[in-house]
Amino acid sequence: MIWQEARIDSERPSHRQPRQAAVVHRNVGHEHMRITHFLLFCTLLSSAVASGGVWYDGDKIAPDRSHQKAKDGLGVQLQLTNDASFFDDWALPHPPNLKITHIAQVGDTIYSVLLFFGAGKDKKGESNVTFEGRVLGPDGNSLQEFKDVRVVHGPNLAGEYDLGLSEGHMIAQFSKASLKGTYTFEVTVTDHIKKVSILLLQKLERK
């Protein structure tokens, strides 16, 4: 069996400020250099947020991947970690260290990490982005589904390309009874202001 839940961290700030996570690179279509937020968490996260609402790999626009996409100015990225301290470290002044994992052993707890930028805002400056998630087992069966998990909700003072961390995340614990094989974490992010939905997938191998 695999146990899951959706958890909301209401006390954690959803966005990081420029002084906390930034890198300089050239934007497509611009003559000047500007500071844009960068995923400084580990070498596997080499994408930056840039003007135009797209992900960058270095100074090149990154194509959509199953775990990382952008549409109509909304960018989302799904990662998996076994380090719960990342969520607390997000609020600290220094860039957090995201330890990505694609492998789970018996007794491991796995957390979904949903990063985003470009959430829509209404006339009051409020955002309403949620996700629906599920985990598919090696046999293709859906183990549990989650509805209306908050990504960002209410007043949103973040800049258009500030990097945000979802307010809610999924948790999965693996026991001896859980099947060995490949698990698929599936998340559909919906921006209810922009009327945009994006499907993301991540794979995890249970050894």
Side-chain angles (χ1 to χ4, degrees):
M1 294 288 293
I2 182 172
W3 171 83
Q4 306 158 11
E5 68 177 23
R7 178 173 295 174
I8 300 293
D9 294 324
S10 59
E11 299 301 320
R12 169 178 48 75
S14 61
H15 291 80
R16 293 187 62 81
Q17 300 302 312
R19 64 183 177 81
Q20 296 172 331
V23 71
V24 176
H25 75 267
R26 186 175 298 277
N27 291 305
V28 173
H30 290 264
E31 296 297 326
H32 62 281
M33 301 292 286
R34 61 169 291 188
I35 295 179
T36 59
H37 294 165
F38 192 67
L39 305 182
L40 297 172
F41 312 137
C42 66
T43 56
L44 292 178
L45 284 174
S46 59
S47 298
V49 180
S51 64
V54 294
W55 293 102
Y56 269 73
D57 280 339
D59 60 353
K60 297 181 179 179
I61 295 176
D64 281 351
R65 303 181 177 95
S66 60
H67 73 286
Q68 175 184 284
K69 298 177 183 178
K71 182 179 180 181
D72 295 342
L74 175 68
V76 287
Q77 181 179 136
L78 177 64
Q79 300 290 351
L80 303 175
T81 186
N82 55 13
D83 183 10
S85 66
F86 169 77
F87 299 98
D88 293 329
D89 291 347
W90 183 264
L92 299 178
H94 58 75
N97 178 30
L98 176 55
K99 300 174 183 177
I100 296 173
T101 186
H102 295 287
I103 296 175
Q105 307 283 353
V106 172
D108 283 353
T109 300
I110 303 298
Y111 305 86
S112 66
V113 176
L114 182 63
L115 303 166
F116 69 95
F117 67 87
K121 300 180 184 180
D122 62 16
K123 294 180 180 180
K124 296 180 180 180
E126 297 185 351
S127 295
N128 184 10
V129 182
T130 62
F131 76 78
E132 296 185 356
R134 64 176 182 166
V135 178
L136 302 176
D139 55 4
N141 290 328
S142 179
L143 301 173
Q144 189 173 350
E145 299 186 359
F146 305 93
K147 304 291 185 180
D148 298 322
V149 181
R150 287 185 182 182
V151 176
V152 58
H153 185 273
N156 183 3
L157 300 179
E160 187 174 5
Y161 303 119
D162 284 352
L163 186 65
L165 175 63
S166 174
E167 294 177 16
H169 54 272
M170 296 186 295
I171 302 172
Q173 290 183 329
F174 290 83
S175 67
K176 291 181 179 180
S178 60
L179 296 175
K180 291 184 178 182
T182 302
Y183 289 77
T184 301
F185 285 68
E186 180 180 295
V187 168
T188 300
V189 182
T190 299
D191 188 322
H192 301 277
I193 304 298
K194 289 187 172 183
K195 308 298 183 183
V196 172
S197 292
I198 301 177
L199 173 65
L200 300 175
L201 302 173
Q202 266 290 9
K203 302 289 186 179
L204 183 80
E205 191 74 16
R206 153 70 166 92
K207 295 295 187 178

